[in-house]
Short mmCIF file of all heavy atoms in Angstrom, two decimals:
data_model
loop_
_atom_site.label_atom_id
_atom_site.label_comp_id
_atom_site.label_asym_id
_atom_site.label_seq_id
_atom_site.Cartn_x
_atom_site.Cartn_y
_atom_site.Cartn_z
N LEU A 155 118.29 109.26 111.58
CA LEU A 155 117.89 108.51 112.78
C LEU A 155 116.61 107.72 112.44
O LEU A 155 116.38 106.54 112.81
CB LEU A 155 117.67 109.39 113.96
CG LEU A 155 118.95 109.85 114.65
CD1 LEU A 155 118.57 110.92 115.66
CD2 LEU A 155 119.66 108.64 115.32
N LYS A 156 115.67 108.41 111.74
CA LYS A 156 114.39 107.78 111.39
C LYS A 156 114.69 106.53 110.43
O LYS A 156 114.06 105.46 110.69
CB LYS A 156 113.48 108.75 110.66
CG LYS A 156 112.05 108.20 110.54
CD LYS A 156 111.26 109.07 109.56
CE LYS A 156 111.08 110.51 110.09
NZ LYS A 156 110.24 111.33 109.18
N LYS A 157 115.45 106.78 109.49
CA LYS A 157 115.86 105.67 108.55
C LYS A 157 116.51 104.50 109.36
O LYS A 157 116.16 103.34 109.10
CB LYS A 157 116.76 106.19 107.44
CG LYS A 157 117.22 105.21 106.45
CD LYS A 157 118.23 105.84 105.49
CE LYS A 157 118.95 104.78 104.66
NZ LYS A 157 120.00 105.35 103.81
N ASN A 158 117.44 104.83 110.17
CA ASN A 158 118.16 103.74 110.93
C ASN A 158 117.23 103.01 111.85
O ASN A 158 117.35 101.84 112.08
CB ASN A 158 119.30 104.35 111.71
CG ASN A 158 120.45 104.81 110.76
OD1 ASN A 158 120.57 104.34 109.62
ND2 ASN A 158 121.28 105.72 111.20
N GLY A 159 116.27 103.75 112.47
CA GLY A 159 115.34 103.16 113.34
C GLY A 159 114.41 102.10 112.70
O GLY A 159 114.15 100.97 113.08
N LEU A 160 113.95 102.49 111.45
CA LEU A 160 113.15 101.54 110.64
C LEU A 160 114.02 100.39 110.22
O LEU A 160 113.54 99.22 110.21
CB LEU A 160 112.60 102.27 109.40
CG LEU A 160 111.54 103.35 109.67
CD1 LEU A 160 111.15 104.12 108.43
CD2 LEU A 160 110.26 102.68 110.26
N LEU A 161 115.22 100.65 109.78
CA LEU A 161 116.08 99.45 109.40
C LEU A 161 116.36 98.56 110.57
O LEU A 161 116.39 97.31 110.41
CB LEU A 161 117.48 99.99 108.88
CG LEU A 161 117.41 100.60 107.42
CD1 LEU A 161 118.73 101.21 107.06
CD2 LEU A 161 116.98 99.51 106.45
N ALA A 162 116.54 99.08 111.75
CA ALA A 162 116.78 98.27 112.94
C ALA A 162 115.62 97.34 113.21
O ALA A 162 115.77 96.15 113.49
CB ALA A 162 117.05 99.17 114.17
N ALA A 163 114.38 97.88 113.09
CA ALA A 163 113.20 97.08 113.25
C ALA A 163 113.11 95.99 112.19
O ALA A 163 112.78 94.82 112.52
CB ALA A 163 111.95 98.00 113.24
N PHE A 164 113.36 96.38 110.97
CA PHE A 164 113.32 95.37 109.84
C PHE A 164 114.31 94.26 110.01
O PHE A 164 113.96 93.07 109.95
CB PHE A 164 113.55 96.10 108.50
CG PHE A 164 113.75 95.19 107.32
CD1 PHE A 164 112.62 94.56 106.82
CD2 PHE A 164 114.93 94.86 106.80
CE1 PHE A 164 112.71 93.66 105.70
CE2 PHE A 164 115.07 94.00 105.76
CZ PHE A 164 114.02 93.34 105.18
N TYR A 165 115.58 94.64 110.35
CA TYR A 165 116.62 93.52 110.51
C TYR A 165 116.33 92.70 111.76
O TYR A 165 116.57 91.48 111.75
CB TYR A 165 118.01 94.11 110.64
CG TYR A 165 118.50 94.76 109.30
CD1 TYR A 165 118.99 96.05 109.19
CD2 TYR A 165 118.44 93.99 108.17
CE1 TYR A 165 119.45 96.52 108.01
CE2 TYR A 165 118.88 94.51 106.92
CZ TYR A 165 119.35 95.80 106.87
OH TYR A 165 119.82 96.28 105.65
N SER A 166 115.74 93.30 112.80
CA SER A 166 115.39 92.53 113.95
C SER A 166 114.35 91.44 113.62
O SER A 166 114.48 90.26 114.03
CB SER A 166 114.79 93.42 115.06
OG SER A 166 115.71 94.32 115.43
N LEU A 167 113.25 91.85 112.82
CA LEU A 167 112.27 90.89 112.43
C LEU A 167 112.86 89.75 111.52
O LEU A 167 112.50 88.63 111.63
CB LEU A 167 111.11 91.58 111.78
CG LEU A 167 110.33 92.51 112.68
CD1 LEU A 167 109.27 93.30 111.80
CD2 LEU A 167 109.57 91.70 113.75
N LEU A 168 113.79 90.24 110.57
CA LEU A 168 114.39 89.26 109.68
C LEU A 168 115.21 88.20 110.44
O LEU A 168 115.05 86.97 110.19
CB LEU A 168 115.29 89.97 108.68
CG LEU A 168 115.96 89.12 107.60
CD1 LEU A 168 114.90 88.44 106.71
CD2 LEU A 168 116.93 89.97 106.75
N VAL A 169 116.01 88.63 111.37
CA VAL A 169 116.84 87.75 112.16
C VAL A 169 115.95 86.79 113.04
O VAL A 169 116.19 85.59 113.10
CB VAL A 169 117.79 88.51 113.07
CG1 VAL A 169 118.52 87.57 114.04
CG2 VAL A 169 118.86 89.21 112.22
N LEU A 170 114.88 87.35 113.54
CA LEU A 170 114.01 86.56 114.37
C LEU A 170 113.25 85.47 113.51
O LEU A 170 113.02 84.35 113.99
CB LEU A 170 112.92 87.41 115.05
CG LEU A 170 113.49 88.30 116.18
CD1 LEU A 170 112.40 89.29 116.68
CD2 LEU A 170 113.98 87.50 117.33
N LEU A 171 112.86 85.87 112.31
CA LEU A 171 112.26 84.90 111.37
C LEU A 171 113.19 83.70 111.11
O LEU A 171 112.79 82.57 111.21
CB LEU A 171 111.94 85.57 110.05
CG LEU A 171 111.36 84.72 108.93
CD1 LEU A 171 109.99 84.15 109.40
CD2 LEU A 171 111.18 85.54 107.61
N ILE A 172 114.52 84.05 110.88
CA ILE A 172 115.43 82.95 110.60
C ILE A 172 115.66 82.12 111.90
O ILE A 172 115.63 80.87 111.84
CB ILE A 172 116.84 83.61 110.21
CG1 ILE A 172 116.70 84.27 108.89
CG2 ILE A 172 117.97 82.50 110.16
CD1 ILE A 172 117.86 85.13 108.51
N TYR A 173 115.68 82.79 113.07
CA TYR A 173 115.87 82.03 114.30
C TYR A 173 114.79 81.06 114.60
O TYR A 173 114.98 79.91 114.95
CB TYR A 173 116.03 83.12 115.48
CG TYR A 173 115.90 82.43 116.82
CD1 TYR A 173 116.95 81.69 117.38
CD2 TYR A 173 114.72 82.69 117.57
CE1 TYR A 173 116.85 81.09 118.59
CE2 TYR A 173 114.61 82.06 118.86
CZ TYR A 173 115.67 81.23 119.36
OH TYR A 173 115.56 80.69 120.58
N VAL A 174 113.54 81.57 114.45
CA VAL A 174 112.35 80.71 114.73
C VAL A 174 112.31 79.59 113.75
O VAL A 174 112.00 78.43 114.12
CB VAL A 174 111.06 81.56 114.71
CG1 VAL A 174 109.82 80.60 114.90
CG2 VAL A 174 111.13 82.59 115.81
N SER A 175 112.62 79.85 112.45
CA SER A 175 112.63 78.76 111.43
C SER A 175 113.63 77.62 111.84
O SER A 175 113.36 76.50 111.66
CB SER A 175 113.00 79.39 110.10
OG SER A 175 112.03 80.37 109.72
N VAL A 176 114.83 78.10 112.31
CA VAL A 176 115.87 77.12 112.64
C VAL A 176 115.50 76.42 114.02
O VAL A 176 115.64 75.19 114.17
CB VAL A 176 117.21 77.78 112.75
CG1 VAL A 176 118.27 76.86 113.27
CG2 VAL A 176 117.65 78.36 111.39
#
Side-chain angles (χ1 to χ4, degrees):
L155 283 172
K156 190 193 297 184
K157 178 185 168 187
N158 290 339
L160 290 174
L161 283 176
F164 172 75
Y165 288 130
S166 298
L167 291 174
L168 182 63
V169 171
L170 290 175
L171 177 65
I172 296 169
Y173 167 73
V174 177
S175 300
V176 174

